[in-house]
Structures are given as C-alpha cells and as structure tokens.
Amino acid sequence: MRLKSDIFVSALIRRVFADGGFAAVEASGAPEAGAIFVRCRYRDGTESLFGPAPQSIFEDGEAAGDRLFELRLERAEHEKVQTLLAKERNFDSDLWIVEIEADDPLRYLGVRPA
C-alpha cells in the first residue's frame, strides 16, 4: 500500500532537515494521492525537476508502494522549471511541489536509473 502524499511529503521534508538541508512545500496538493514534483535548487542558480515516474515503468514483482521519480529537467534555468510546472498545474491542479536544497538531493528520491 502506498503512503498518502501528505505523509510522504512530511517525511521527505523531515529527512532533508535532519541531514542539514532545506526543504519546503511550495504547493500543497491532494492529501491522499496528489502527484508530487520535487524541485532541487543548486548553488549555481540552476534547478532540477523530478516528477512522478509513470506506472508503466514498474516491472513485474516491483513493490507498488515504492515511490519512484524521474528527472524532468536537469540543471535548467529557473524560468524553464516554472514553465514546466505551470503546464503540469494546468493538467493537474492537485499536485504537490516540494523544494529541496541539499548537497545530494537524489538520496531522498527513488530515482529510476535511465
């Protein structure tokens, strides 16, 4: 069984803060099953954006409760990230946006290898 989105986001933020990073909810979505997007900001002013991985990438036998994220934009300019998030919000207004500033943001996300 998959965790509710609000519980997952709370746990993510606590983990980042516990490791000395910064995390905040930029937009709250549906508590039960809102899609979660994670914006990672870097010191050089660029950002990476991770979105929920499509369900079609789950292999047989893979735990359905594991949240996997896929890279949508890598070290892009702020405006590009904003544009993509605006498109996603138009498609799904119940999405979550979480911002992370940490030395190794990938450690907090179940990023599916390419």
Side-chain angles (χ1 to χ4, degrees), residues 1-113:
M1 184 166 98
R2 181 176 279 199
L3 282 176
K4 291 177 21 177
S5 294
D6 59 347
I7 294 172
F8 179 87
V9 168
S10 291
L12 173 63
I13 290 172
R14 283 178 180 246
R15 285 183 61 210
V16 172
F17 272 111
D19 290 343
F22 172 80
V25 175
E26 189 175 316
S28 298
E32 295 81 22
I36 300 169
F37 286 80
V38 179
R39 164 188 269 172
C40 300
R41 294 186 191 243
Y42 300 101
R43 292 184 179 137
D44 64 0
T46 61
E47 301 177 17
S48 292
L49 181 66
F50 296 87
Q55 294 297 308
S56 61
I57 70 162
F58 286 92
E59 298 174 6
D60 292 337
E62 194 168 358
D66 293 339
R67 287 195 187 263
L68 292 177
F69 291 86
E70 70 176 357
L71 182 63
R72 300 285 175 95
L73 290 173
E74 184 172 21
R75 294 212 177 242
E77 296 176 5
H78 175 77
E79 292 77 21
K80 286 185 180 181
V81 174
Q82 286 294 98
T83 300
L84 183 56
L85 285 172
K87 287 180 185 178
E88 292 291 344
R89 279 188 188 160
N90 285 337
F91 179 72
D92 179 8
S93 61
D94 286 335
L95 61 84
W96 290 80
I97 301 173
V98 180
E99 178 183 329
I100 293 178
E101 291 180 16
D103 291 331
D104 182 16
L106 293 181
R107 72 182 288 185
Y108 306 107
L109 307 175
V111 177
R112 183 72 174 195

